Amino acid sequence: MLALKNLKKSYTDAGEQHTILNNINLTINAGDSISIQGASGSGKSTLLHLLAALDKPDSGEILLNNSQQPNQGNDITQFTEKEADAYRQFRVGLIFQKFNLIDCITVMENVMLPAKITGKVQGEYIQELLDALDIHRHINKLPSQLSGGEQQRVAIARGLSHQPPLLLADEPTGNLDSKNSDLVSHLLVTTCKKLNTALVMVTHSQKVALLTQQQWYLDDGRLTQI
Ligand SMILES: Nc1ncnc2c1ncn2[C@@H]1O[C@H](COP(=O)(O)OP(=O)(O)O)[C@@H](O)[C@H]1O
Ligand SMILES: [Mg+2]
């Protein structure tokens, strides 16, 4: 689905160049579940931003295998703003550490945002998602009326409401206590599996990482499978 080839990214700080990602290679197939661990500042979020076409590498490619054009590779690093917007809206779901829910609208309205934007509103699928994440009884509340674990479950539902083939999660359990971290990470992995959504999850937790099929580690700009 996505093939990362020789990705490089560096930042210049006070005239000094720091290589954050150095020749990253990774293939993400449909339905894969992948965790990425690494020390703080090792470039995990930078890598997810590249996958979401929110940022561009210095060099390298991220080839998207488009199901509508099976023989054509599309390099998302070369996308125009408009193409990147469409890629994010239709192909990617995003979940962040701090939930990032919109507090002046209900839980259901939050969940439905990506689905409404893409016009992919499928009632049965949404019900299945709400069931899988056990948030039915909260749909008319405001996010602030929920616990941290419940809010993160809503964020997962929002990340998946438009049925993206790829879900990117940046430390999705980083703000939860260990009990909720276990619950939410387990739900995240099993929900993606059920929906055949590829998951790339950045995490600090070895325990959470072990829930995914592939564990990768980012250190000194290099990504290695562990
Ligand atoms: N826009 C930026 N400009 C300069 N340096 C940045 C920028 N974004 C990230 N960095 C630096 O790149 C490194 C990796 O950051 P990040 O990807 O956020 O790491 P992680 O998510 O693994 O903690 C850090 O040293 C950070 O300070
Ligand atoms: Mg980060």
Side-chain angles (χ1 to χ4, degrees):
M1 186 170 64
L2 275 187
L4 288 65
K5 305 220 184 228
N6 301 321
L7 274 192
K8 276 197 185 191
K9 177 80 180 172
S10 52
Y11 291 116
T12 307
D13 203 7
E16 237 184 275
Q17 199 181 7
H18 299 275
T19 301
I20 306 298
L21 302 173
N22 195 0
N23 270 323
I24 301 288
N25 288 285
L26 178 69
T27 302
I28 305 166
N29 292 310
D32 275 356
S33 79
I34 293 172
S35 58
I36 297 174
Q37 296 176 78
S40 192
S42 59
K44 305 181 297 297
S45 295
T46 303
L47 181 58
L48 277 199
H49 292 161
L50 294 177
L51 289 176
L54 286 164
D55 197 1
K56 291 200 187 280
D58 301 341
S59 60
E61 300 174 315
I62 302 178
L63 301 177
L64 171 69
N65 180 358
N66 188 332
S67 57
Q68 277 114 45
Q69 298 156 294
N71 299 317
Q72 198 177 338
N74 276 325
D75 185 355
I76 73 166
T77 71
Q78 302 298 320
F79 278 179
T80 61
E81 268 313 300
K82 211 173 153 198
E83 287 168 335
D85 279 348
Y87 165 74
R88 270 191 303 276
Q89 286 173 7
F90 287 92
R91 319 244 353 171
V92 180
L94 286 165
I95 300 175
F96 303 93
Q97 179 172 352
K98 290 183 183 154
F99 322 138
N100 289 2
L101 297 171
I102 299 173
D103 205 42
C104 56
I105 58 175
T106 66
V107 162
M108 190 61 172
E109 286 164 339
N110 269 278
V111 169
M112 293 306 289
L113 271 178
K116 289 252 167 76
I117 288 171
T118 53
K120 270 187 167 180
V121 180
Q122 293 195 8
E124 215 172 292
Y125 169 80
I126 299 292
Q127 292 307 318
E128 193 187 330
L129 200 53
L130 298 175
D131 276 344
L133 293 161
D134 193 23
I135 47 178
H136 259 300
R137 64 187 183 284
H138 302 303
I139 56 174
N140 294 318
K141 294 181 185 169
L142 294 174
S144 60
Q145 296 172 305
L146 305 183
S147 71
E150 289 163 351
Q151 287 186 41
Q152 195 57 308
R153 271 149 51 203
V154 173
I156 295 172
R158 183 181 59 179
L160 291 168
S161 76
H162 54 314
Q163 305 186 33
L166 175 65
L167 184 64
L168 302 173
D170 198 353
E171 302 195 40
T173 61
N175 269 346
L176 302 177
D177 59 40
S178 70
K179 190 174 151 231
N180 271 303
S181 168
D182 285 354
L183 184 82
V184 165
S185 51
H186 197 80
L187 276 171
L188 180 55
V189 172
T190 50
T191 309
C192 284
K193 199 170 172 189
K194 215 177 193 174
L195 305 169
N196 199 37
T197 299
L199 170 67
V200 179
M201 171 169 59
V202 164
T203 181
H204 263 117
S205 159
Q206 169 83 0
K207 196 173 171 195
V208 170
L210 285 172
L211 295 171
T212 59
Q213 293 161 337
Q214 297 177 35
Q215 290 95 40
W216 292 78
Y217 195 81
L218 192 56
D219 181 39
D220 202 19
R222 308 269 176 189
L223 190 65
T224 41
Q225 193 165 10
I226 47 176

